[in-house]
Amino acid sequence: MVDEGVRRDFLSLRDIGFSAGRKAILSGIDLDIGPGTVCGLVGPNGSGKSTLLKIIARQVVPTSGSVMWGGRPASAWSNRAFARHVSYMPQFTPAADGMTVRELVALGRFPWHGTLGRFGEKDARAVEEAIARTELEEFADRRVDEMSGGERQRAWIAMMLAQDARCLILDEPTSALDLAHQTGVLSLVRSLAEERGLTVIVVLHDINLAARYCDRITALGGGRILMSGPPAEIMRQEPLREIFGVEMGVFEHPQHRQPVSYLL
């Protein structure tokens, strides 16, 4: 039985392992992420970040270990219940050829009304609220494939908001975006976590973006968690050397006072 004091959006991973044939991709992963927390997954290419996200999102079944939401195994949730609870945006989002922003965002309501269900007033209201919250009103009737990369990312986040999930899982949402759109997307995600008490897990390649927008940084290497903690603990010379294998310096940003790293 789930402890009633445990929130349904509290994520707990225990001894997660995943192998592809004889190759171990992940091993011994233990991680707890509570509501209202933005957790950034960082690490070199091939460290297992995207695979871990897919396991959390129930896209991939782990070889060993357990994924628990609020004390309940992820495997025990029905597909519809899980889709109402967790929203996943892969690194490469599916094509939305010919689809408008409003039509894309409306797909987020599918777990609530189903294939044969009626798209009602509550669904329409959720769609319009998601479009407004992501500041896409002027793009609502524009085709998604005609938008810039940053605008498209906001449209997908709007779809996740319309889904009304308690956990957002994003795999490199800032890849291929310029600096302005990177900060815009992550500022939006950060604000949503605070406003709605969402659990957010995001893969980022830029450790400085993770330090600025995440409450917690979890670093993977060789399929294992090397360290996990607040940015102030991770953004130091010794931990950064262990994570990335290069010498890095750190200074305090003169305005927002958060740590910033650089190559030596």
Side-chain angles (χ1 to χ4, degrees):
M1 179 177 291
V2 176
D3 184 342
E4 292 185 1
V6 177
R7 288 276 300 268
R8 283 166 58 88
D9 40 359
F10 187 92
L11 172 65
S12 181
L13 307 180
R14 289 293 176 269
D15 198 28
I16 292 294
F18 181 78
S19 299
R22 296 183 178 181
K23 183 179 180 180
I25 308 298
L26 294 171
S27 180
I29 301 292
D30 293 325
L31 187 63
D32 294 317
I33 305 173
T37 300
V38 180
C39 178
L41 297 183
V42 303
N45 290 338
S47 58
K49 301 184 299 295
S50 293
T51 300
L52 183 57
L53 277 199
K54 291 176 182 178
I55 288 173
I56 295 171
R58 228 171 61 164
Q59 302 291 308
V60 169
V61 178
T63 306
S64 61
S66 62
V67 179
M68 309 285 283
W69 288 101
R72 184 183 178 195
S75 58
W77 296 64
S78 69
N79 290 337
R80 177 178 283 193
F82 193 80
R84 290 176 175 180
H85 187 72
V86 176
S87 187
Y88 168 63
M89 185 169 78
Q91 181 178 354
F92 303 105
T93 53
D97 296 341
M99 189 176 293
T100 67
V101 168
R102 183 174 282 109
E103 290 169 340
L104 174 65
V105 177
L107 292 179
R109 298 303 299 169
F110 181 81
W112 296 94
H113 60 71
T115 304
L116 301 178
R118 179 176 175 271
F119 187 90
E121 292 183 8
K122 183 177 181 180
D123 300 303
R125 186 166 58 250
V127 168
E128 296 307 316
E129 288 175 354
I131 289 173
R133 181 60 190 82
T134 51
E135 300 180 354
L136 288 170
E137 295 99 326
E138 64 179 294
F139 301 102
D141 296 314
R142 183 176 297 184
R143 287 173 42 166
V144 176
D145 54 9
E146 295 176 349
M147 300 168 70
S148 71
E151 292 162 352
R152 283 198 302 273
Q153 291 295 67
R154 278 195 288 150
W156 281 95
I157 292 172
M159 186 193 74
M160 298 171 85
L161 286 184
Q163 190 173 332
D164 201 25
R166 299 302 308 162
C167 176
L168 307 184
I169 300 175
L170 305 101
D171 193 352
E172 296 189 43
T174 59
S175 63
L177 298 185
D178 59 34
L179 287 175
H181 282 114
Q182 287 179 16
T183 57
V185 166
L186 292 177
S187 293
L188 173 61
V189 170
R190 167 81 262 169
S191 297
L192 292 171
E194 293 174 350
E195 292 169 11
R196 304 188 180 200
L198 304 179
T199 302
V200 178
I201 306 145
V202 53
V203 167
L204 294 169
H205 270 299
D206 189 329
I207 187 69
N208 289 322
L209 288 177
R212 181 164 184 178
Y213 293 103
C214 298
D215 302 295
R216 175 178 182 176
I217 297 175
T218 297
L220 274 68
R224 294 181 176 272
I225 292 180
L226 299 178
M227 59 196 73
S228 185
E233 289 184 7
I234 308 299
M235 296 291 283
R236 296 182 290 114
Q237 283 186 308
E238 292 294 333
L240 291 174
R241 183 192 304 120
E242 183 178 350
I243 296 168
F244 297 108
V246 294
E247 294 294 332
M248 301 179 73
V250 181
F251 67 91
E252 186 180 82
H253 193 283
Q255 292 183 331
H256 55 65
R257 319 307 297 180
Q258 290 162 323
V260 178
S261 66
Y262 59 95
L263 284 172
L264 291 175

